[in-house]
mmCIF file of all heavy atoms in Angstrom:
data_model
loop_
_atom_site.group_PDB
_atom_site.id
_atom_site.type_symbol
_atom_site.label_atom_id
_atom_site.label_comp_id
_atom_site.label_asym_id
_atom_site.label_seq_id
_atom_site.Cartn_x
_atom_site.Cartn_y
_atom_site.Cartn_z
ATOM 1 N N PHE A 90 9.568 -6.714 1.155
ATOM 2 C CA PHE A 90 10.617 -7.674 1.055
ATOM 3 C C PHE A 90 10.648 -8.565 2.235
ATOM 4 O O PHE A 90 10.942 -9.765 2.103
ATOM 5 C CB PHE A 90 11.972 -6.969 0.871
ATOM 6 C CG PHE A 90 13.066 -7.872 0.411
ATOM 7 C CD1 PHE A 90 13.168 -8.206 -0.919
ATOM 8 C CD2 PHE A 90 13.970 -8.423 1.293
ATOM 9 C CE1 PHE A 90 14.191 -9.013 -1.374
ATOM 10 C CE2 PHE A 90 14.981 -9.271 0.875
ATOM 11 C CZ PHE A 90 15.083 -9.555 -0.470
ATOM 12 N N GLY A 91 10.326 -8.116 3.439
ATOM 13 C CA GLY A 91 10.363 -8.927 4.602
ATOM 14 C C GLY A 91 9.034 -9.541 4.935
ATOM 15 O O GLY A 91 8.951 -10.334 5.927
ATOM 16 N N TRP A 92 7.977 -9.305 4.194
ATOM 17 C CA TRP A 92 6.638 -9.782 4.432
ATOM 18 C C TRP A 92 6.532 -11.248 4.071
ATOM 19 O O TRP A 92 6.912 -11.669 2.951
ATOM 20 C CB TRP A 92 5.663 -8.945 3.654
ATOM 21 C CG TRP A 92 4.231 -9.395 3.671
ATOM 22 C CD1 TRP A 92 3.525 -9.815 4.790
ATOM 23 C CD2 TRP A 92 3.314 -9.404 2.593
ATOM 24 N NE1 TRP A 92 2.259 -10.086 4.428
ATOM 25 C CE2 TRP A 92 2.079 -9.827 3.116
ATOM 26 C CE3 TRP A 92 3.422 -9.084 1.258
ATOM 27 C CZ2 TRP A 92 0.941 -9.992 2.331
ATOM 28 C CZ3 TRP A 92 2.319 -9.262 0.462
ATOM 29 C CH2 TRP A 92 1.116 -9.687 0.983
ATOM 30 N N LEU A 93 5.981 -12.102 4.976
ATOM 31 C CA LEU A 93 5.765 -13.480 4.667
ATOM 32 C C LEU A 93 4.221 -13.750 4.864
ATOM 33 O O LEU A 93 3.782 -14.000 5.970
ATOM 34 C CB LEU A 93 6.555 -14.373 5.621
ATOM 35 C CG LEU A 93 8.102 -14.258 5.525
ATOM 36 C CD1 LEU A 93 8.769 -14.977 6.601
ATOM 37 C CD2 LEU A 93 8.584 -14.658 4.144
ATOM 38 N N PRO A 94 3.470 -13.703 3.774
ATOM 39 C CA PRO A 94 1.995 -13.738 3.931
ATOM 40 C C PRO A 94 1.405 -15.057 4.345
ATOM 41 O O PRO A 94 0.449 -15.056 5.083
ATOM 42 C CB PRO A 94 1.520 -13.357 2.518
ATOM 43 C CG PRO A 94 2.630 -13.726 1.624
ATOM 44 C CD PRO A 94 3.913 -13.579 2.370
ATOM 45 N N ASP A 95 1.940 -16.206 3.910
ATOM 46 C CA ASP A 95 1.307 -17.466 4.212
ATOM 47 C C ASP A 95 2.183 -18.392 5.078
ATOM 48 O O ASP A 95 2.191 -19.538 4.923
ATOM 49 C CB ASP A 95 1.044 -18.202 2.917
ATOM 50 C CG ASP A 95 0.010 -17.434 2.074
ATOM 51 O OD1 ASP A 95 -0.815 -16.765 2.666
ATOM 52 O OD2 ASP A 95 0.062 -17.577 0.833
ATOM 53 N N GLN A 96 2.892 -17.803 6.039
ATOM 54 C CA GLN A 96 3.763 -18.582 6.905
ATOM 55 C C GLN A 96 2.970 -19.050 8.128
ATOM 56 O O GLN A 96 2.280 -18.279 8.759
ATOM 57 C CB GLN A 96 4.911 -17.687 7.333
ATOM 58 C CG GLN A 96 5.942 -18.492 8.138
ATOM 59 C CD GLN A 96 7.095 -17.644 8.564
ATOM 60 O OE1 GLN A 96 7.020 -16.432 8.484
ATOM 61 N NE2 GLN A 96 8.212 -18.256 8.915
ATOM 62 N N PRO A 97 3.047 -20.329 8.432
ATOM 63 C CA PRO A 97 2.380 -20.807 9.653
ATOM 64 C C PRO A 97 3.062 -20.239 10.905
ATOM 65 O O PRO A 97 4.184 -19.798 10.899
ATOM 66 C CB PRO A 97 2.534 -22.348 9.557
ATOM 67 C CG PRO A 97 3.742 -22.565 8.704
ATOM 68 C CD PRO A 97 3.777 -21.384 7.770
ATOM 69 N N LEU A 98 2.286 -20.314 11.985
ATOM 70 C CA LEU A 98 2.817 -19.830 13.294
ATOM 71 C C LEU A 98 4.012 -20.684 13.728
ATOM 72 O O LEU A 98 4.036 -21.903 13.472
ATOM 73 C CB LEU A 98 1.726 -19.878 14.343
ATOM 74 C CG LEU A 98 0.559 -18.903 14.242
ATOM 75 C CD1 LEU A 98 -0.455 -19.229 15.260
ATOM 76 C CD2 LEU A 98 1.024 -17.478 14.279
ATOM 77 N N ARG A 99 4.946 -20.043 14.409
ATOM 78 C CA ARG A 99 6.065 -20.827 14.944
ATOM 79 C C ARG A 99 5.556 -21.698 16.114
ATOM 80 O O ARG A 99 4.513 -21.493 16.646
ATOM 81 C CB ARG A 99 7.122 -19.860 15.460
ATOM 82 C CG ARG A 99 7.876 -19.211 14.292
ATOM 83 C CD ARG A 99 9.002 -18.373 14.820
ATOM 84 N NE ARG A 99 8.415 -17.028 14.951
ATOM 85 C CZ ARG A 99 9.011 -16.048 15.629
ATOM 86 N NH1 ARG A 99 10.106 -16.222 16.166
ATOM 87 N NH2 ARG A 99 8.438 -14.848 15.686
ATOM 88 N N ARG A 100 6.381 -22.747 16.421
ATOM 89 C CA ARG A 100 5.905 -23.725 17.382
ATOM 90 C C ARG A 100 5.577 -23.132 18.723
ATOM 91 O O ARG A 100 4.558 -23.481 19.335
ATOM 92 C CB ARG A 100 7.002 -24.818 17.559
ATOM 93 C CG ARG A 100 7.036 -25.786 16.431
ATOM 94 C CD ARG A 100 8.024 -26.871 16.714
ATOM 95 N NE ARG A 100 9.357 -26.295 16.366
ATOM 96 C CZ ARG A 100 10.512 -26.735 16.786
ATOM 97 N NH1 ARG A 100 10.524 -27.759 17.591
ATOM 98 N NH2 ARG A 100 11.608 -26.171 16.422
ATOM 99 N N GLY A 101 6.379 -22.225 19.212
ATOM 100 C CA GLY A 101 6.128 -21.641 20.542
ATOM 101 C C GLY A 101 4.843 -20.835 20.544
ATOM 102 O O GLY A 101 4.011 -20.950 21.458
ATOM 103 N N ARG A 102 4.636 -20.078 19.523
ATOM 104 C CA ARG A 102 3.376 -19.290 19.481
ATOM 105 C C ARG A 102 2.156 -20.189 19.265
ATOM 106 O O ARG A 102 1.104 -19.897 19.778
ATOM 107 C CB ARG A 102 3.497 -18.221 18.379
ATOM 108 C CG ARG A 102 2.314 -17.354 18.309
ATOM 109 C CD ARG A 102 2.553 -16.084 17.681
ATOM 110 N NE ARG A 102 1.340 -15.253 17.742
ATOM 111 C CZ ARG A 102 1.217 -14.115 17.197
ATOM 112 N NH1 ARG A 102 2.252 -13.530 16.671
ATOM 113 N NH2 ARG A 102 0.061 -13.451 17.278
ATOM 114 N N GLN A 103 2.351 -21.226 18.421
ATOM 115 C CA GLN A 103 1.252 -22.146 18.228
ATOM 116 C C GLN A 103 0.822 -22.828 19.534
ATOM 117 O O GLN A 103 -0.341 -22.992 19.801
ATOM 118 C CB GLN A 103 1.623 -23.189 17.193
ATOM 119 C CG GLN A 103 0.495 -24.089 16.814
ATOM 120 C CD GLN A 103 -0.652 -23.417 16.108
ATOM 121 O OE1 GLN A 103 -0.425 -22.551 15.252
ATOM 122 N NE2 GLN A 103 -1.842 -23.713 16.494
ATOM 123 N N ARG A 104 1.822 -23.189 20.357
ATOM 124 C CA ARG A 104 1.522 -23.832 21.635
ATOM 125 C C ARG A 104 0.757 -22.845 22.542
ATOM 126 O O ARG A 104 -0.200 -23.270 23.209
ATOM 127 C CB ARG A 104 2.761 -24.296 22.333
ATOM 128 C CG ARG A 104 3.246 -25.630 21.849
ATOM 129 C CD ARG A 104 4.407 -26.142 22.686
ATOM 130 N NE ARG A 104 5.580 -26.076 21.789
ATOM 131 C CZ ARG A 104 6.763 -25.692 22.089
ATOM 132 N NH1 ARG A 104 7.078 -25.326 23.280
ATOM 133 N NH2 ARG A 104 7.742 -25.722 21.162
#
Side-chain angles (χ1 to χ4, degrees):
F90 194 81
W92 174 44
L93 299 172
D95 295 329
Q96 185 179 17
L98 292 175
R99 286 184 268 168
R100 282 183 280 161
R102 183 157 182 181
Q103 184 64 45
R104 276 188 250 139

